[in-house]
Amino acid sequence: MTAKKLYIETVGCQMNLLDSELVVASLRRAGYELASSPKRADVILFNTCSVRQHAEDKIYSALGRLKHLKRRHPHKIIGVLGCMAQKDQRLIFQRAPYVDLVVGPGQLHRVPELIRQIEQGSGPKLEVSLDRTAGPQAQVAESFVSYDPLRDPQMRPTPYQAFVRIMIGCDKFCTYCIVPKVRGPEQSRPPEHILAEVRRLADEGCREVTLLGQTVNSYKYRQGERTVTLAELLERVHQVEGIDRIKFVTNFPLDMTQPLLEAVRALPKVSHYLHVPAQSGSDRILRRMKRGYTVAQYREMLHRIYDTVPEAAVTSDFIVGFCGESEEDFQQTVRLVEEGRFKNSYIFKYSPRPGTKAHQLYADDVPEQVKRRRNNELLAVQNRISLELNERFIGRQVEVLVEGPSKAAQKQAQHGEGPLQLCGRTLCDRIVVFEGNLRQVGQILPVRIYDATPHTLLGVVVTQHVGPEVYVLQ
Ligand code: 5AD
Ligand code: SF4
């Protein structure tokens, strides 16, 4: 009997990439193999994102393209997973009546069983968590199950790197954001579970873990009288033998505590890369976004970061064109980007999300072309700074965890044993491209940088043999 085939497409954040990895692993255990296109697959899954309209549009048009395939092959199972499944629920069946399966991010553990039921003729299945206002907090929280089954190293882009979920959900309720609604209440995983997962990953050869949470530095797990924080969790993950690098994303500015920054400085395996979205440089807009801090507080936090961890690579997110954003508000954001010296910033045009406070309270009154212009202007400022920061690395030596062939090498489909362009990342999450050999993937190599672009460092591997080992000159 030939194995059943699975095709999956993922959009969205790292949490979604992790969810897809885990769903695929569970279906492989149930006998599925991956297929390269929907045509070749028995089960077609979309793991979706709701953070902006554009992400949803992409999924609905991908579903639209499957209409005829499903008509010709009615036995194929089409499923919509993740945030858009939780947000749109039955609406997905209305817009695409040939969809068989809709599963929210808090119910992903049920996917293999639901597919089995559909195969046996159950008809369409909808499995979502409770709405946040549907009942008592504890009951709602219980309906969002953290999905952390056994891992499968083959399912990751490289077996040397892995995401590890340390918490689910979000309780910040920024007015523009759909995440608290679709990913549910903030719930931290027990430290023992996280450590067991990290140890297992290390045993399988993983060298770098990225701890994930919507507001990862809000991590709190009560154990009797004590509360374990992210700072303590980092110390414990740091002790796991075999793990050489630890990152964590995404941080919330107000939860960037001094003990956390001191842990980052004190623990050599912990990356000095800190993603702490500011969203805006205007107090008026931050208030409307209900971010809970002022620009002065964000600046103070930045100073604390750079004072405690001088080499820190800080990155940020910004939303341009939020409801009521004036030119003056926007210029204040430009000033924050200029002062912040971010390694890079992710810049988004505001996208109204039904179900959020901003959508309910404020008009989406900044015209699209103004949003676009502000987006481009802010990006240009950030790119100039990214280049300046990257140029400082020219002539320096960095340690790079080699991830695999660079994008250019992948396009040219270079294979074989000869030298090829590889890419990897520094401890500060800077992308480095250099010439190497496939067998170096998964190693941490010393690389000397000779050139830079805003988002990439170019280098050569330093091979200085002293006895049998390679020493890194720092
Ligand atoms: N419109 C545009 N960008 C958004 N983000 C979240 N919600 C919206 C929205 N409605 C951005 C924020 C967040 C990132 C993941 O996506 O900047 O940090
Ligand atoms: Fe959304 Fe704000 Fe929570 Fe981030 S902190 S996930 S922007 S609500």
Side-chain angles (χ1 to χ4, degrees):
M1 202 185 86
T2 54
K4 284 178 286 185
K5 294 278 195 305
L6 163 71
Y7 174 82
I8 186 162
E9 253 180 54
T10 306
V11 289
C13 62
Q14 286 147 323
M15 207 53 112
N16 265 15
L17 292 175
L18 174 58
D19 282 339
S20 288
E21 177 198 320
L22 299 176
V23 166
V24 171
S26 68
L27 287 171
R28 277 163 58 107
R29 269 193 292 278
Y32 281 85
E33 274 176 11
L34 280 180
S36 56
S37 76
K39 271 199 196 118
R40 301 213 173 102
D42 304 290
V43 173
I44 303 162
L45 299 177
F46 294 95
N47 192 6
T48 62
C49 170
S50 273
V51 103
R52 281 169 292 277
Q53 182 68 42
H54 177 66
E56 294 191 350
D57 293 345
K58 256 176 40 188
I59 296 298
Y60 277 116
S61 50
L63 284 174
R65 286 193 296 275
L66 292 182
K67 189 172 169 180
H68 296 292
L69 188 68
K70 176 77 175 179
R71 193 174 297 152
R72 270 180 280 128
H73 304 278
H75 61 276
K76 283 186 196 275
I77 294 175
I78 301 180
V80 177
L81 316 179
C83 294
M84 197 182 88
Q86 180 66 36
K87 174 173 159 284
D88 285 358
Q89 306 191 1
R90 284 183 195 288
L91 182 67
I92 297 173
F93 294 130
Q94 283 163 25
R95 289 184 64 172
Y98 42 90
V99 166
D100 302 281
L101 181 66
V102 173
V103 186
Q107 299 291 324
L108 294 175
H109 57 290
R110 304 213 39 209
V111 168
E113 168 204 335
L114 292 167
I115 290 180
R116 218 170 307 122
Q117 290 176 9
I118 295 168
E119 281 170 346
Q120 287 163 2
S122 71
K125 287 277 171 192
L126 170 77
E127 208 58 57
V128 289
S129 304
L130 291 178
D131 197 84
R132 288 204 67 156
T133 53
Q137 161 88 1
Q139 207 179 327
V140 174
E142 232 169 76
S143 78
F144 285 89
V145 181
S146 185
Y147 181 52
D148 306 289
L150 286 180
R151 307 295 292 258
D152 180 346
Q154 284 175 310
M155 285 329 303
R156 298 194 289 276
T158 84
Y160 313 103
Q161 296 171 299
F163 295 126
V164 175
R165 200 188 320 271
I166 69 165
M167 60 194 294
I168 60 169
C170 179
D171 283 347
K172 304 291 186 200
F173 286 100
C174 304
T175 56
Y176 52 81
C177 186
I178 196 72
V179 168
K181 188 176 163 77
V182 292
R183 288 218 171 241
E186 181 185 308
Q187 301 182 71
S188 295
R189 279 179 82 199
E192 286 70 28
H193 292 196
I194 297 166
L195 283 158
E197 190 170 341
V198 174
R199 278 191 212 106
R200 179 182 281 268
L201 285 164
D203 289 344
E204 292 168 355
C206 179
R207 301 190 72 174
E208 176 187 281
V209 289
T210 302
L211 309 181
L212 293 186
Q214 244 46 260
T215 55
V216 72
N217 56 343
S218 318
Y219 177 87
K220 265 182 219 77
Y221 193 83
R222 281 197 71 86
Q223 284 186 319
E225 294 291 285
R226 293 187 15 48
T227 300
V228 180
T229 60
L230 178 60
E232 274 171 72
L233 188 67
L234 286 176
E235 274 170 35
R236 292 169 69 175
V237 173
H238 198 268
Q239 288 164 9
V240 176
E241 223 164 289
I243 297 296
D244 295 313
R245 286 187 172 185
I246 307 163
K247 297 179 188 169
F248 52 97
V249 284
T250 290
N251 293 284
F252 190 70
L254 283 182
D255 294 330
M256 206 47 130
T257 62
Q258 199 54 28
L260 174 59
L261 292 176
E262 269 150 33
V264 171
R265 179 179 56 191
L267 302 169
K269 295 176 181 178
V270 174
S271 171
H272 290 182
Y273 160 63
L274 297 170
H275 182 56
V276 207
Q279 310 297 3
S280 171
S282 151
D283 280 336
R284 202 175 66 84
I285 296 299
L286 286 176
R287 248 190 331 270
R288 283 197 144 197
M289 291 176 161
K290 218 167 134 283
R291 287 288 287 178
Y293 52 84
T294 60
V295 183
Q297 280 173 301
Y298 187 87
R299 284 207 176 92
E300 183 273 332
M301 177 214 66
L302 270 183
H303 287 140
R304 267 193 307 114
I305 292 179
Y306 290 130
D307 284 348
T308 316
V309 190
E311 290 271 300
V314 183
T315 61
S316 185
D317 290 348
F318 288 95
I319 296 177
V320 294
F322 185 61
C323 316
E325 186 188 69
S326 67
E327 203 51 38
E328 172 51 26
D329 292 318
F330 172 66
Q331 288 309 324
Q332 289 176 4
T333 300
V334 172
R335 278 200 287 284
L336 182 58
V337 169
E338 277 167 347
E339 280 176 42
R341 311 298 293 165
F342 301 112
K343 174 176 83 97
N344 57 277
S345 291
Y346 301 91
I347 300 163
F348 307 102
K349 294 179 287 180
Y350 171 60
S351 167
R353 307 284 55 221
T356 61
K357 271 271 173 286
H359 180 259
Q360 192 189 332
L361 295 177
Y362 310 123
D364 175 25
D365 53 2
V366 177
E368 176 60 26
Q369 88 257 26
V370 175
K371 286 182 185 170
R372 199 174 320 131
R373 202 245 311 137
R374 289 179 188 169
N375 190 329
N376 291 342
E377 194 177 324
L378 202 57
L379 205 57
V381 174
Q382 178 59 59
N383 278 346
R384 175 171 52 73
I385 292 163
S386 298
L387 181 62
E388 279 169 27
L389 294 176
N390 266 359
E391 279 174 346
R392 291 196 197 158
F393 281 83
I394 295 176
R396 276 172 65 183
Q397 192 170 298
V398 291
E399 285 188 43
V400 176
L401 174 59
V402 186
E403 293 181 355
S406 70
K407 276 196 193 133
Q410 280 174 27
K411 265 196 208 131
Q412 292 162 10
Q414 294 182 13
H415 292 299
E417 289 302 297
L420 83 168
Q421 203 181 54
L422 295 176
C423 80
R425 281 174 198 260
T426 67
L427 191 60
C428 279
D429 211 50
R430 289 188 155 85
I431 297 169
V432 183
V433 168
F434 54 96
E435 199 161 270
N437 198 298
L438 271 185
R439 71 184 147 69
Q440 291 167 318
V441 174
Q443 296 179 12
I444 295 181
L445 296 178
V447 174
R448 185 170 297 284
I449 303 304
Y450 66 83
D451 205 356
T453 71
H455 302 295
T456 314
L457 300 174
L458 299 131
V460 277
V461 177
V462 180
T463 44
Q464 221 207 359
H465 290 275
V466 183
E469 290 188 38
V470 176
Y471 285 92
V472 181
L473 307 169
Q474 205 42 303

